[in-house]
């Protein structure tokens, strides 16, 4: 691009007039000289600058300063787009070159680098523009995202709308777009979940990502880890505690009558039976076998249809047999091994002679089927009326556990003793006893007509240990301490609730009838 030159007069009069072209040529010639002449030219330039600032008789130099302040316009009326479009043949040109080579001057000009560049003429915003639509004030925009418009394409009035309508429609569109994105994301996750379920079925956990927040999902994962730590299998717990060795096995299932039962805990059956993983047990004599063929042959020859011992209670199909551990040792040992599969704290297996076993059965046309049992010491110095108690899993949650507990306290009443179960109780045993004690106390409160209640009287009438009575009253919030005395409160709301449940159960409630008991306390041996 040709360089435009502008002539600048350095002197006045016809004698001192020089052509601008010749001065430009001299500038180019001087720029090609050796570096030895540079200090002299720099000093001349600085002198010319001082003269231009101090002298009022050199209007041409002042005019050079004017060129520095405002760049000349191009023939189109705009400022030059770059410094290459302007060439000024003046001492200032040589001054710029000297600044480029002199480090001191270059550092002084760095202070001006923070100044913003001048806006070009074609970048200026014309605030006088208006929308060409008649009657429009140029406010608003069809997209709803801008405050003003200057064309028909963005005019709300041209499209028969208002600025507020455009904003409302823009907000609605944004909501629809977000909802469509969410729906699309949900459809994509649903497709992934369906593919995952088709591929793995119930063998894998469903995909949980994008169902809830990451924080909730992390909490759920932590809860899963804690639950897996707490809910270890009984075999793992026993192996950690050292009760079973690494090479020993655990029976997982037993075939008992017409039921197949999953075991809960380890039982010390002989190793040749325990390694099988599945055991076959006769439901009448409790003998255990290795295969179903042996069990079938045994059932064809077994003559037992009920437990050995004396039948001390019968009402309807429910019977209770008293089995002496000394007289029927094999049966009682097999009963203890079977019970250990479902009890955690049981330690009695083979030493059964000092105990009496009370076995509850349910009779049908094939025989008396085992429902549950409890064992009791023949001579207990602490008046324990139950050493071990179990309800078979297929008869749980049907009221037979309370019947066994009630029968043990019925025997204590006949013996004229106050009884209590031997500690520690299993988890299910503790729940059953707490429920039984609560029912006994509420029934006593319902039938009590006096004004003062004594824990000793309750214990004598129900055969429940006073310690158990106090703990139950505390759990029911019926025992208060006031003015140095312990008071028993008769909470009518709990009594009414118990009575309503009793009425709802009706004749289906399983209870022990004391009149059906045919038993005398055995003599100590």
């Amino acid at each position: 691009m040709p360089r435009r030159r502008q002539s600048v007069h350095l002197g006045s009069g016809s004698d001192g007039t020089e052509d601008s072209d010749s001065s430009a040529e001299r500038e180019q010639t001087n720029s090609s000289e050796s570096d030895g002449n540079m200090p002299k030219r720099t000093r001349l330039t600085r002198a010319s600058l001082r003269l231009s600032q101090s002298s009022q008789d050199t209007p041409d130099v002042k005019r050079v300063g004017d060129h520095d302040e405002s760049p000349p316009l191009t023939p189109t009326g705009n400022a030059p787009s770059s410094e290459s479009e302007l060439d000024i043949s003046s001492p200032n040109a040589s001054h710029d070159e000297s600044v480029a080579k002199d480090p001191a001057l270059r550092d002084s000009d760095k202070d001006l680098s923070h100044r913003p560049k001048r806006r070009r003429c074609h970048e200026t915003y014309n605030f006088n523009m208006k929308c060409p639509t008649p009657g429009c004030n140029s406010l608003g925009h069809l997209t709803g995202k801008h405050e003003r418009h200057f064309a028909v394409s963005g005019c709300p009035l041209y499209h028969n709308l208002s600025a507020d309508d455009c904003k409302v429609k823009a907000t609605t569109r944004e909501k629809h777009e977000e909802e469509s994105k969410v729906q699309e994301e949900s459809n994509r996750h649903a497709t992934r979940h369906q593919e995952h379920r088709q591929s793995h079925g119930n063998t894998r956990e469903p995909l949980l990502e994008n169902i809830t927040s990451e924080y909730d999902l992390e909490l759920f994962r932590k809860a899963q880890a804690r639950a897996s730590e707490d809910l270890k299998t009984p075999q793992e717990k026993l192996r950690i505690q050292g009760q079973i060795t690494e090479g020993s096995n655990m029976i997982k299932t037993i075939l008992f009558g017409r039921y197949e039962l999953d075991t809960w805990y380890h039982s010390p059956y002989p190793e040749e039976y325990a390694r099988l993983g599945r055991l076959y047990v006769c439901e009448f004599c409790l003998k255990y076998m290795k295969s179903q063929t042996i069990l079938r042959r045994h059932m064809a020859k077994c003559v037992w249809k009920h437990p050995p011992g004396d039948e001390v209670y019968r009402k309807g199909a429910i019977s209770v047999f008293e089995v002496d551990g000394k007289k029927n040792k094999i049966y009682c040992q097999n009963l203890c091994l079977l019970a250990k599969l479902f009890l955690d704290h049981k330690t009695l297996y083979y030493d059964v002679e000092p105990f009496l076993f009370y076995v509850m059965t349910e009779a049908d046309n094939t025989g008396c089927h085992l429902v549950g049992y409890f064992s009791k010491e023949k001579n207990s110095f602490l008046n324990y009326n139950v050493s071990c108690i179990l309800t078979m899993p297929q008869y749980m949650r049907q009221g037979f556990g309370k019947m066994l507990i009630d029968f043990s306290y019925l025997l204590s009443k006949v013996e004229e003793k106050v009884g209590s179960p031997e500690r520690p109780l299993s988890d299910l045993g503790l729940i059953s006893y707490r429920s039984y004690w609560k029912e006994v106390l509420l029934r006593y409160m319902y039938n009590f007509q006096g004004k003062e209640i004594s824990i000793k009287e309750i214990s004598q009438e129900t055969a429940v240990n006073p310690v158990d009575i106090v703990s139950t009253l505390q759990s029911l919030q019926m025992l208060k301490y006031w003015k140095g005395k312990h008071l028993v409160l008769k909470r009518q709301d709990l009594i009414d609730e118990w009575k309503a449940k009793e009425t709802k159960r009706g004749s289906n409630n399983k209870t022990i009838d004391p009149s059906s008991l045919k038993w005398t306390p055995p003599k100590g041996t």
Side-chain angles (χ1 to χ4, degrees):
M1 181 175 178
R3 300 169 60 90
R4 295 187 180 91
R5 298 181 176 88
Q6 183 174 353
S7 61
V8 179
H9 297 282
L10 298 177
S12 62
S14 59
D15 295 337
T17 303
E18 293 181 0
D19 186 60
S20 62
D21 295 336
S22 61
S23 64
E25 291 176 359
R26 285 194 300 269
E27 293 290 335
Q28 294 177 358
T29 303
N30 295 333
S31 62
S32 61
E33 291 180 355
S34 61
D35 296 338
N37 298 329
M38 285 301 298
K40 181 179 180 180
R41 184 165 59 251
T42 303
R43 288 194 296 272
L44 291 175
T45 305
R46 290 177 178 174
S48 63
L49 287 175
R50 286 195 295 270
L51 290 173
S52 64
Q53 294 176 0
S54 62
S55 176
Q56 299 297 331
D57 298 332
T58 55
D60 293 329
V61 177
K62 184 178 180 181
R63 194 179 300 117
V64 172
D66 295 339
H67 285 295
D68 292 339
E69 295 177 357
S70 59
L73 300 177
T74 61
T76 58
N78 297 328
S81 60
S82 64
E83 294 179 0
S84 62
E85 297 181 3
L86 182 62
D87 186 16
I88 302 177
S89 299
S90 65
N92 289 341
S94 60
H95 168 68
D96 295 338
E97 293 177 0
S98 63
V99 167
K101 294 182 179 180
D102 193 352
L105 295 177
R106 186 168 62 250
D107 295 337
S108 63
D109 290 341
K110 286 183 180 180
D111 299 334
L112 304 179
S113 60
H114 66 280
R115 292 186 179 179
K117 295 182 179 179
R118 292 190 180 92
R119 182 185 292 273
R120 296 173 184 174
C121 294
H122 64 276
E123 293 180 351
T124 58
Y125 193 79
N126 191 354
F127 291 93
N128 295 325
M129 295 178 62
K130 292 184 179 181
C131 177
T133 304
C136 181
N137 55 2
S138 298
L139 296 178
H141 199 276
L142 183 63
T143 61
K145 299 180 180 180
H146 307 289
E147 296 295 332
R148 299 179 65 85
H149 68 278
F150 303 104
V152 176
S153 60
C155 181
L157 184 61
Y158 178 81
H159 295 89
N160 300 319
L161 296 171
S162 64
D164 295 335
D165 294 339
C166 294
K167 291 182 180 179
V168 172
K169 290 182 178 295
T171 305
T172 306
R173 283 195 303 270
E174 291 177 357
K175 289 183 179 179
H176 287 330
E177 290 176 359
E178 292 178 359
E179 292 176 357
S180 62
K181 289 181 180 179
V182 172
Q183 184 65 28
E184 183 180 356
E185 189 75 14
S186 177
N187 294 337
R188 184 164 65 252
H189 294 317
T191 304
R192 286 184 57 202
H193 291 184
Q194 187 175 3
E195 293 176 353
H196 179 80
R197 181 172 296 179
Q198 291 177 356
S199 301
H200 304 288
N202 294 328
T203 60
R204 297 275 188 90
E205 181 187 68
L207 296 178
L208 302 179
E209 288 75 12
N210 300 302
I211 293 180
T212 182
S213 63
E214 293 293 335
Y215 178 75
D216 292 340
L217 184 59
E218 183 66 22
L219 289 180
F220 177 71
R221 293 301 185 193
K222 291 180 180 179
Q224 276 186 327
R226 292 184 61 182
S228 63
E229 182 69 21
D230 296 339
L231 298 178
K232 289 182 178 179
T233 62
Q235 187 176 8
E236 291 177 350
K237 289 183 177 180
L238 293 174
R239 182 165 287 125
I240 292 173
Q241 296 172 2
Q243 297 184 20
I244 58 176
T245 60
E246 191 67 28
S248 62
N249 299 299
M250 177 177 171
I251 299 172
K252 297 179 175 59
T253 59
I254 62 170
L255 190 66
F256 190 79
R258 61 179 183 272
Y259 299 100
E260 183 177 356
L261 306 177
D262 294 330
T263 62
W264 299 350
Y265 303 99
H266 172 76
S267 183
Y269 278 96
E271 186 177 356
E272 61 270 18
Y273 293 91
R275 72 162 63 102
L276 299 175
R278 182 179 178 131
L279 206 60
Y280 301 86
V281 182
C282 175
E283 62 176 331
F284 298 116
C285 67
L286 304 184
K287 183 180 179 180
Y288 46 90
M289 287 148 277
K290 295 182 179 180
S291 67
Q292 192 169 8
T293 303
I294 301 176
L295 176 63
R296 188 166 52 249
R297 291 177 181 176
H298 170 81
M299 295 299 295
K301 298 183 294 182
C302 186
V303 295
W304 290 24
K305 298 299 178 184
H306 60 79
D310 301 327
E311 186 179 10
V312 296
Y313 177 88
R314 179 190 292 181
K315 183 178 181 180
I318 302 299
S319 299
V320 178
F321 292 84
E322 183 184 62
V323 183
D324 191 344
K326 186 176 182 180
K327 296 179 181 179
N328 301 278
K329 186 175 181 178
I330 301 299
Y331 178 87
C332 294
Q333 287 178 348
N334 291 339
L335 181 60
C336 291
L337 290 174
L338 177 64
K340 184 62 182 71
L341 293 172
F342 308 102
L343 294 176
D344 188 15
H345 299 285
K346 183 173 178 57
T347 56
L348 173 66
Y349 309 123
Y350 301 107
D351 187 16
V352 295
E353 296 180 1
F355 294 90
L356 291 172
F357 295 82
Y358 294 89
V359 183
M360 180 177 289
T361 61
E362 186 178 30
D364 59 9
N365 54 0
T366 60
C368 296
H369 305 281
L370 177 64
V371 173
Y373 86 100
F374 69 89
S375 61
K376 176 182 178 182
E377 282 187 278
K378 295 177 181 178
N379 296 312
S380 177
F381 296 99
L382 299 177
N383 290 332
Y384 288 141
N385 60 358
V386 169
S387 295
C388 180
I389 186 170
L390 169 72
T391 304
M392 293 298 290
Q394 66 269 28
Y395 291 101
M396 286 183 176
R397 303 186 65 84
Q398 299 179 30
F400 291 105
K402 286 186 179 180
M403 290 183 67
L404 286 170
I405 296 174
D406 196 12
F407 189 81
S408 68
Y409 280 104
L410 178 60
L411 298 182
S412 296
K413 291 178 183 178
V414 175
E415 292 178 327
E416 297 180 354
K417 293 181 180 180
V418 174
S420 179
E422 185 177 342
R423 267 68 171 183
L425 289 170
S426 63
D427 296 336
L428 294 178
L430 181 60
I431 293 174
S432 299
Y433 267 96
R434 281 286 174 84
S435 178
Y436 173 78
W437 292 332
K438 175 183 175 181
E439 183 177 339
V440 168
L441 291 177
L442 292 178
R443 183 184 292 111
Y444 182 86
M445 297 286 185
Y446 179 77
N447 297 325
F448 183 75
Q449 301 297 330
K451 295 182 179 180
E452 294 183 359
I453 298 178
S454 172
I455 294 178
K456 184 177 180 180
E457 294 177 358
I458 298 175
S459 177
Q460 292 176 353
E461 186 169 345
T462 60
V464 179
N465 193 291
V467 177
D468 300 330
I469 295 175
V470 171
S471 65
T472 305
L473 290 174
Q474 288 177 344
S475 64
L476 296 176
Q477 297 182 357
M478 297 176 65
L479 189 64
K480 300 294 182 181
Y481 184 78
W482 186 69
K483 290 185 178 180
K485 295 182 180 180
H486 290 279
L487 302 179
V488 178
L489 302 180
K490 186 177 181 180
R491 293 186 56 182
Q492 193 63 34
D493 56 341
L494 295 178
I495 297 175
D496 294 341
E497 183 181 355
W498 166 80
K499 188 59 180 177
K501 289 182 179 180
E502 288 288 318
T503 306
K504 187 177 180 180
R505 291 172 186 171
S507 59
N508 295 328
N509 190 15
K510 294 182 175 64
T511 58
I512 293 293
D513 185 7
S515 61
S516 300
L517 177 64
K518 307 297 180 183
W519 178 78
T520 55
K523 295 181 180 181
T525 57

